[in-house]
Amino acid sequence: MKIIKYIFLLTFILPFTSIGQTKASITIKNNLTVDQTETVVSVKWKDILSSYPQIDTTNFIVINTSTKKQVPFQLEHKGSAAVQNLLLQVNVKAKSALNLSIQKGKPEIFAAKTYARYVPERKDDFAWENDKIAFRAYGKALEKTEGDAYGFDVWVKQTNKLVLNDRYKRDDYHIDHGDGLDYYHVGFTLGAGNMAPFIKDTIRYSGNYHQWKVLDNGPLRSTFQLKYDEWNAGGIKMSAVKTISLDAGSQLNRIENIYTFNDNKPIPVVVGIIKREKTGVISLNEQQGIMGYWEPTFEKDGTTAVGSIVTTPVTSMWSNKEQILTQTTVKNNEPIVYYTGAAWDKAGKITTAKQWFDYLNAFYQKVNNPLIVTVKKN
């Protein structure tokens, strides 16, 4: 009789346990007529808490309800102790929706796809990368030296693995050892899409960054800040804070700049891309703020593509002997957001100028028509 009771209790209790049960549902809708692949989407953590207030940040998983597989995620802090967002990397087909569930469980260990760090062993470089491409900005120790440069640098790669630490350790990153290299020349230009004030028809370069702070560091998004000390921008004293984010799967960074200056009027700024001596392919779309450049091929090193998308109204776009430039305006102490990045033909994904310009156009569409996220309690 005792055994029968025991079996009855198990049968009664098990269906009501929380293990494997959906605690909250997430629907991600794509309204575009193009697929959104390898896209990192942000879900507000307060919406998760509202639907699942007992969630344990160390003991939950996100499940694709169609495939029953776990979805890679990251808890984004934005430099705060508290979680701000749940980041998910998803594929959502055109004009369709993806359904996910949040359950209790042990998450799989997903390989990190983004990384950023200060590099004191290389004259204050700050370098960052994802599974597609890599970049660096120059720091205080490089100022006024023979190798000084103003803009953003590109490190091309043909692997989805993170390579920065290995390349700095080898100290031989100008040679391709099978995963890519640094052959991008920046010099005294804006390089691969840096921004600077444009006062009296002249680019007013700042010094290199003097302070840095990592806000989040992967696996799906790395975000950091670079601070630039006050400089004289054509008679206007300015300082700047640049917050840079790079998502897994993306060729472009999101950059949010805040300029501080003593003037109530907006001032002009430019985003620039260095030009090469040989002929490349340039695409300028003032209406949508898209600037693209397919560089000339560098013999054995291949072709680098660079592009920027400005989200504020564009005053003008033009090409001179040294750079391709997009002009817009900024206000004192108000953030300005734009996107900039690069690709390499030897990575095998984007191998023609048309493919690169198509990528920039599609990216513009995705920025202006983001995935729609809905969170519901189960």
Side-chain angles (χ1 to χ4, degrees):
M1 196 68 181
K2 288 182 179 179
I3 294 174
I4 294 172
K5 280 186 178 180
Y6 179 67
I7 293 172
F8 173 77
L9 285 172
L10 277 177
T11 305
F12 182 79
I13 293 171
L14 281 175
F16 294 91
T17 59
S18 59
I19 297 174
Q21 288 187 349
T22 299
K23 295 296 185 179
S25 299
I26 302 173
T27 301
I28 302 172
K29 188 177 180 181
N30 177 14
N31 284 332
L32 290 176
T33 56
V34 295
D35 296 346
Q36 297 223 32
T37 58
E38 296 185 284
T39 301
V40 175
V41 63
S42 178
V43 185
K44 292 180 180 179
W45 190 246
K46 65 179 183 180
D47 292 342
I48 301 291
L49 289 177
S50 178
S51 299
Y52 184 8
Q54 295 85 23
I55 189 170
D56 179 353
T57 56
T58 64
N59 189 39
F60 79 92
I61 56 177
V62 181
I63 298 293
N64 182 321
T65 57
S66 295
T67 65
K68 309 302 180 184
K69 293 182 178 180
Q70 290 194 30
V71 176
F73 71 84
Q74 174 184 335
L75 298 177
E76 184 182 33
H77 291 262
K78 292 189 171 182
S80 169
V83 177
Q84 303 297 308
N85 297 301
L86 174 67
L87 304 179
L88 303 163
Q89 189 176 34
V90 296
N91 298 321
V92 190
K93 292 197 173 292
K95 293 291 183 178
S96 66
L98 176 68
N99 295 309
L100 309 175
S101 68
I102 298 179
Q103 305 174 5
K104 283 187 178 180
K106 184 177 181 181
E108 296 176 18
I109 298 175
F110 294 98
K113 296 182 179 181
T114 69
Y115 179 62
R117 81 170 176 98
Y118 168 58
V119 191
E121 68 269 30
R122 222 304 297 194
K123 295 185 177 180
D124 291 349
D125 280 359
F126 196 99
W128 66 103
E129 67 175 317
N130 66 2
D131 50 339
K132 304 292 183 183
I133 196 77
F135 306 90
R136 68 172 166 170
Y138 300 106
K140 183 177 181 179
L142 196 67
E143 284 183 349
K144 299 178 181 178
T145 68
E146 185 179 348
D148 196 10
Y150 297 154
F152 293 140
D153 190 19
V154 177
W155 281 18
V156 294
K157 53 192 286 190
Q158 55 188 358
T159 175
N160 57 10
K161 296 180 181 178
L162 302 179
V163 301
L164 286 180
N165 285 337
D166 287 342
R167 288 192 188 179
Y168 275 114
K169 188 176 181 179
R170 283 197 306 257
D171 194 23
D172 191 24
Y173 42 77
H174 296 296
I175 296 175
D176 187 354
H177 292 275
D179 60 11
L181 74 159
D182 171 25
Y183 76 96
Y184 191 82
H185 173 68
V186 175
F188 299 131
T189 73
L190 292 168
N194 201 1
M195 177 184 282
F198 189 66
I199 310 299
K200 299 175 184 176
D201 294 330
T202 302
I203 301 174
R204 307 295 177 170
Y205 296 101
S206 68
N208 295 340
Y209 84 87
H210 283 192
Q211 297 179 59
W212 61 273
K213 182 180 181 181
V214 175
L215 305 182
D216 289 282
N217 213 351
L220 298 179
R221 175 179 293 167
S222 290
T223 304
F224 57 93
Q225 287 183 339
L226 301 179
K227 294 186 179 181
Y228 295 77
D229 292 346
E230 187 177 86
W231 76 99
N232 187 338
I236 301 174
K237 291 183 178 180
M238 302 186 67
S239 60
V241 177
K242 303 188 177 189
T243 303
I244 301 172
S245 295
L246 182 60
D247 285 356
S250 177
Q251 304 288 156
L252 304 185
N253 302 277
R254 180 188 187 274
I255 302 182
E256 179 179 298
N257 291 343
I258 297 178
Y259 289 96
T260 302
F261 51 93
N262 293 322
D263 199 332
N264 292 326
K265 297 179 181 178
I267 67 165
V269 294
V270 288
V271 175
I273 297 172
I274 185 173
K275 280 175 63 179
R276 307 304 173 193
E277 290 184 7
K278 294 182 179 180
T279 303
V281 185
I282 297 172
S283 175
L284 302 179
N285 182 337
E286 285 191 17
Q287 185 176 0
Q288 296 181 333
I290 306 172
M291 174 173 62
Y293 184 40
W294 183 261
E295 287 195 345
T297 301
F298 279 73
E299 299 178 0
K300 67 180 188 301
D301 293 329
T303 308
T304 298
V306 187
S308 302
I309 301 172
V310 176
T311 63
T312 49
V314 171
T315 307
S316 62
M317 283 183 173
W318 71 99
S319 173
N320 60 29
K321 185 178 179 181
E322 292 184 337
Q323 303 187 70
I324 310 160
L325 298 162
T326 297
Q327 181 179 333
T328 184
T329 59
V330 297
K331 294 181 180 179
N332 176 42
N333 236 11
E334 291 189 16
I336 179 171
V337 174
Y338 73 104
Y339 298 83
T340 192
W344 191 35
D345 66 340
K346 284 194 172 185
K349 300 293 184 182
I350 297 171
T351 58
T352 67
K354 182 182 184 303
Q355 287 178 340
W356 178 237
F357 300 149
D358 286 347
Y359 178 89
L360 295 176
N361 290 331
F363 198 100
Y364 170 87
Q365 293 295 329
K366 292 173 185 179
V367 168
N368 288 279
N369 299 275
L371 294 168
I372 299 170
V373 180
T374 306
V375 183
K376 292 183 179 179
K377 182 178 180 180
N378 276 61

